[in-house]
Amino acid sequence: MKIFVTGVPGVGKTTIVLKIAEDLRKSGFRIGGMVTQEVREQGKRVGFKIRALDTNEEGILAWVGEGYPRVGKYVVNVEDLDKIGVSAIRRAIRNADVIIIDEIGAMEFKSKEFAKVIEEALRSEKPLLATLHRRWVHRFKNRGKLYVLTVGNREKIREEISHELLKVLSP
């Protein structure tokens, strides 16, 4: 089972994934993978951090500034993405009951290793829950079930995804 969640920025994609991960943990399942979260200073988004769900190790995915590779105004930190994010996904493929990848988009694809590990996760027999940047939906919509998150439907979708995953995971 491969589940993808997309929606406009700020609708709650990362939040829903973290809540589902917690629901699954409470049911005794091992969760692995990575999440990305905004970094804000004085109310303005200045970058994104990356966190491994199994170890809580954190790093910087991208920040506003000069450098390369770039996505818009952000410089992507491929080193932390590979060291923390890609490693967390690989551990999840080996050890977790559910693989979580938040987010799949242009920043993440600046890493060749990230592109490789995404294919590994998609070929894996394990359930995958991933968020997609809205501009990347076309690349993945035929590889699993796609949910489009809105403020109005996010709680219903959270319950539906949790239910689907628990159904697949429970004997």
Side-chain angles (χ1 to χ4, degrees):
M1 169 173 290
K2 310 302 182 213
I3 297 174
F4 300 101
V5 177
T6 193
V8 297
V11 76
K13 295 180 296 292
T14 300
T15 301
I16 196 173
V17 163
L18 288 170
K19 286 180 177 179
I20 291 167
E22 190 54 36
D23 291 346
L24 295 171
R25 272 194 188 109
K26 284 179 183 170
S27 295
F29 296 103
R30 292 174 313 220
I31 306 305
M34 57 160 260
V35 292
T36 59
Q37 294 173 297
E38 290 185 351
V39 176
R40 291 186 168 268
E41 289 177 1
Q42 298 168 340
K44 293 178 84 170
R45 187 168 69 193
V46 295
F48 298 90
K49 67 181 177 178
I50 189 169
R51 180 168 59 90
L53 289 169
D54 57 345
T55 64
N56 283 323
E57 181 182 12
E58 286 188 351
I60 298 296
L61 171 62
W63 66 92
V64 173
E66 298 301 317
Y68 185 81
R70 302 187 68 75
V71 173
K73 65 182 178 180
Y74 298 100
V75 179
V76 179
N77 183 354
V78 174
E79 185 178 324
D80 277 7
L81 175 56
D82 288 349
K83 187 177 115 202
I84 297 166
V86 171
S87 296
I89 297 166
R90 286 213 167 102
R91 286 192 307 273
I93 292 168
R94 282 192 313 270
N95 306 322
D97 296 312
V98 178
I99 304 162
I100 291 181
I101 304 171
D102 170 56
E103 154 174 283
I104 299 173
M107 287 183 190
E108 294 78 10
F109 270 92
K110 293 297 181 186
S111 161
K112 288 180 176 63
E113 289 302 309
F114 184 85
K116 280 188 213 168
V117 82
I118 290 298
E119 284 306 315
E120 291 170 29
L122 287 166
R123 284 192 308 267
S124 165
E125 306 251 332
K126 295 186 177 180
L128 168 68
L129 173 58
T131 63
L132 296 174
H133 186 282
R134 65 193 183 285
R135 292 195 188 113
W136 286 70
V137 168
H138 66 283
R139 283 190 163 193
F140 293 91
K141 67 180 180 187
N142 296 326
R143 312 254 340 238
K145 187 166 186 176
L146 177 68
Y147 290 90
V148 179
L149 209 59
T150 66
V151 172
N153 72 7
R154 61 187 177 197
E155 197 52 43
K156 181 178 179 281
I157 285 179
R158 172 192 171 197
E159 290 170 13
E160 193 172 319
I161 292 171
S162 286
H163 177 74
E164 283 189 52
L165 288 169
L166 285 168
K167 199 165 64 177
V168 168
L169 291 165
S170 301

